[in-house]
């Protein structure tokens, strides 16, 4: 190598080092600004300042780089800086694994959710009668399951559809659960019902349609019972995490996240099961993650394969609907399993479940 080339190379290395240190200097200042803006509640993205710098480049640039090239490079720096501030923000989230590296473990009637063992939450879409719930409860017991779901307050798309039995439904669930030594998981729609509902439920479910009902989330954050939070109908993973953050920010860290499919253009299934959300949520948060195979697929023929996928990809549990006579069910008639189908499902899925006890 010629001496001249060698000299130029070391010159360029020195410049690169300077650029590196200047970029990181800039990044440190950006982070400080981010903190101040957060304290003041000001938006991080500042298009006016960006525009000013782009204009400055245009005014001062003497080449050899084209102005557009330099503007492009600076746009990348702005973008990276904004991401840096967002990362910082994410780091601070209470649901974040960066905040709490250890898995959150939730004890529901002796079942420890979040330990790596896999669990099943089964039961009818809606509570219709004592006899109906009792039959399902017995089937659960036969399979050694503890966690029984059932909707008493039903968030229906049409106001003319069956809205659920309300508190009466919760009482039925509690009675059967006490008789059979099961835990009750049931959706609450209205913050005003929460307190009374706590007499009957072991886990409060917040449904997809209410994932961004912030008053309900805050109210659920103020209770001291576990909350099963479902992903919103078209919520991003980030929005889902922020919804959980609302609960945690009020002091309740007993949260189970539940992927239940999101709305896409695909019509072959009721919703599109976003299976990759499971490992993402497991990595990004410390909370247990379950998968509802009924509302995601809406298809009985897909319950088992979807449940296998959920367990294989690291879900802490699977939710599905069971009804003694789905054909006459008052809601989700087409997608609920009958009891023999439920036994077949359980017998098969248990072969794939980690440390399934009983
Ligand atoms: C349910 O689990 O009863 C339910 C209504 O599900 P989702 O909120 O996910 O639609
Ligand atoms: Mn349902």
């Amino acid at each position: 190598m010629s001496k001249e080339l060698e000299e130029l190379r070391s010159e360029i290395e020195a410049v690169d080092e300077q650029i590196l240190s200047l970029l990181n200097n800039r990044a440190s200042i950006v982070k400080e600004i981010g903190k101040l803006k957060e304290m003041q509640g000001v938006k991080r993205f500042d298009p006016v300042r960006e525009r000013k710098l782009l204009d400055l480049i245009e005014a001062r640039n003497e080449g050899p780089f084209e102005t557009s090239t330099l503007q492009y490079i600076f746009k990348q720096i702005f973008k990276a800086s904004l991401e840096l501030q967002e990362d910082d923000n994410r780091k601070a989230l209470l649901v974040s694994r960066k905040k709490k590296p250890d898995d959150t473990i939730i004890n529901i009637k002796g079942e420890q959710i979040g330990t790596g063992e896999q669990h099943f939450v089964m039961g009818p879409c809606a509570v219709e009668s004592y006899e109906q719930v009792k039959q399902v409860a017995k089937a659960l017991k036969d399979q050694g399951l503890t966690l029984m779901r059932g909707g008493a307050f039903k968030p229906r798309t049409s106001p003319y559809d069956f809205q659920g039995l309300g508190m009466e439904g919760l009482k039925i669930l509690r009675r059967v659960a006490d008789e059979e030594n099961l835990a009750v998981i049931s959706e609450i729609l209205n913050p005003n019902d929460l307190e009374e509902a706590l007499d009957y439920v072991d886990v409060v479910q917040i449904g997809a349609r209410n994932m961004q009902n912030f008053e309900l989330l805050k109210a659920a954050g103020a209770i001291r019972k576990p909350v099963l939070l479902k992903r919103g109908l078209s919520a991003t993973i980030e929005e889902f995490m922020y919804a959980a953050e609302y609960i945690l920010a009020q002091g309740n860290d007993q949260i189970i996240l539940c992927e239940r499919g999101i709305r896409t253009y695909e019509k072959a299934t009721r919703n599109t099961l976003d299976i990759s959300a499971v490992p993402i949520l497991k990595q990004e948060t410390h909370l247990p993650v379950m998968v509802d195979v009924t509302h995601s697929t809406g298809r009985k023929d897909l319950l088992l394969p979807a449940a296998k996928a959920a367990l294989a990809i690291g879900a802490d549990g699977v939710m599905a609907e069971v009804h003694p006579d789905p054909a006459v069910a008052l809601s989700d008639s087409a997608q609920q399993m009958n009891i023999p189908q439920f036994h077949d499902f359980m017998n098969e899925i248990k072969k794939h479940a980690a440390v399934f006890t009983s």
Side-chain angles (χ1 to χ4, degrees):
M1 208 181 349
S2 77
K3 203 163 180 321
E4 198 186 351
L5 186 59
E6 220 170 289
E7 269 174 26
L8 286 173
R9 284 216 168 133
S10 60
E11 235 177 86
I12 222 165
E13 269 167 27
V15 171
D16 284 346
E17 265 181 48
Q18 280 181 39
I19 294 175
L20 181 67
S21 126
L22 283 172
L23 279 175
N24 277 326
N25 262 349
R26 191 185 190 284
S28 307
I29 300 170
V30 160
K31 286 175 82 164
E32 287 302 310
I33 292 176
K35 273 187 211 147
L36 286 177
K37 280 189 173 175
E38 191 175 316
M39 270 162 52
Q40 296 166 7
V42 184
K43 270 182 91 157
R44 291 188 178 78
F45 174 55
D46 189 345
V48 178
R49 284 205 46 254
E50 266 197 42
R51 167 48 56 205
K52 233 166 112 180
L53 191 67
L54 294 178
D55 290 346
L56 185 88
I57 295 168
E58 184 156 30
R60 299 271 178 87
N61 182 30
E62 291 174 354
F65 271 130
E66 295 273 358
T67 294
S68 61
T69 306
L70 287 174
Q71 285 176 333
Y72 174 78
I73 292 171
F74 270 92
K75 283 292 285 183
Q76 298 308 307
I77 295 175
F78 293 149
K79 199 165 155 256
S81 303
L82 201 61
E83 278 166 11
L84 195 66
Q85 291 182 343
E86 274 165 5
D87 266 355
D88 241 36
N89 183 246
R90 175 108 19 113
K91 234 178 266 168
L93 282 190
L94 296 167
V95 295
S96 161
R97 203 176 268 289
K98 287 178 189 146
K99 189 88 181 174
K100 175 174 178 276
D102 296 338
D103 289 318
T104 289
I105 294 166
I106 298 172
N107 186 327
I108 310 169
K109 253 197 175 315
E111 290 213 25
Q112 310 273 357
I113 323 277
T115 55
E117 265 186 50
Q118 293 172 313
H119 306 264
F120 296 89
V121 179
M122 309 297 248
C125 179
V127 176
E128 293 164 6
S129 68
Y130 170 82
E131 291 71 25
Q132 171 231 20
V133 176
K134 184 79 175 179
Q135 282 186 58
V136 174
K138 281 187 170 157
L140 260 65
K141 287 286 282 196
D142 288 345
Q143 288 292 343
L145 302 185
T146 318
L147 311 175
M148 177 170 67
R149 60 149 288 143
F153 295 94
K154 295 302 298 176
R156 305 307 299 282
T157 301
S158 163
Y160 306 115
D161 284 341
F162 176 57
Q163 302 286 307
L165 297 181
M167 283 300 165
E168 275 318 301
L170 292 187
K171 287 178 191 167
I172 292 174
L173 284 167
R174 183 76 269 155
R175 185 175 152 208
V176 174
D178 286 345
E179 289 166 0
E180 304 294 338
N181 198 26
L182 301 172
V184 169
I185 298 169
S186 198
E187 177 165 359
I188 303 302
L189 298 178
N190 187 332
N192 299 331
D193 291 331
L194 256 184
E195 205 184 304
E196 192 180 346
L198 293 181
D199 290 341
Y200 309 111
V201 304
D202 299 291
V203 178
V204 170
Q205 179 170 320
I206 295 184
R209 287 155 196 80
N210 273 315
M211 190 205 81
Q212 285 190 320
N213 180 338
F214 300 114
E215 294 310 315
L216 182 60
L217 295 174
K218 284 188 224 164
I223 65 173
R224 290 296 168 264
K225 273 199 177 170
V227 176
L228 185 140
L229 176 66
K230 292 190 135 193
R231 183 173 179 181
L233 300 178
S234 7
T236 63
I237 290 174
E238 188 180 40
E239 288 164 342
F240 192 17
M241 286 176 9
Y242 275 120
E245 184 77 8
Y246 263 91
I247 300 171
L248 226 150
Q250 297 297 316
N252 187 357
D253 69 344
Q254 303 286 288
I255 307 165
I256 300 167
L257 301 173
C258 184
E259 161 62 35
R260 48 79 73 206
I262 45 174
R263 179 165 294 181
T264 69
Y265 52 79
E266 183 51 66
K267 289 190 154 72
T269 48
R270 177 171 169 174
N271 289 289
T272 298
L273 174 56
D274 181 8
I275 199 75
S276 55
V278 176
I280 294 172
L281 290 166
K282 293 290 293 180
Q283 281 165 30
E284 296 253 332
T285 81
H286 49 81
L287 302 173
V289 180
M290 289 193 177
V291 171
D292 175 343
V293 291
T294 298
H295 295 95
S296 52
T297 67
R299 284 175 53 158
K300 277 201 268 192
D301 60 332
L302 297 184
L303 298 178
L304 188 60
K308 283 184 193 168
L311 297 186
I313 210 162
D316 296 283
V318 167
M319 177 189 276
E321 289 181 347
V322 191
H323 190 287
D325 189 358
V328 301
L330 294 173
S331 57
D332 285 349
S333 166
Q335 66 196 32
Q336 303 195 60
M337 290 181 271
N338 65 26
I339 287 172
Q341 285 165 341
F342 161 72
H343 286 304
D344 288 346
F345 173 91
M346 283 311 305
N347 293 339
E348 195 50 40
I349 198 65
K350 275 180 184 172
K351 296 179 193 159
H352 302 269
V355 218
F356 187 82
T357 44
S358 81

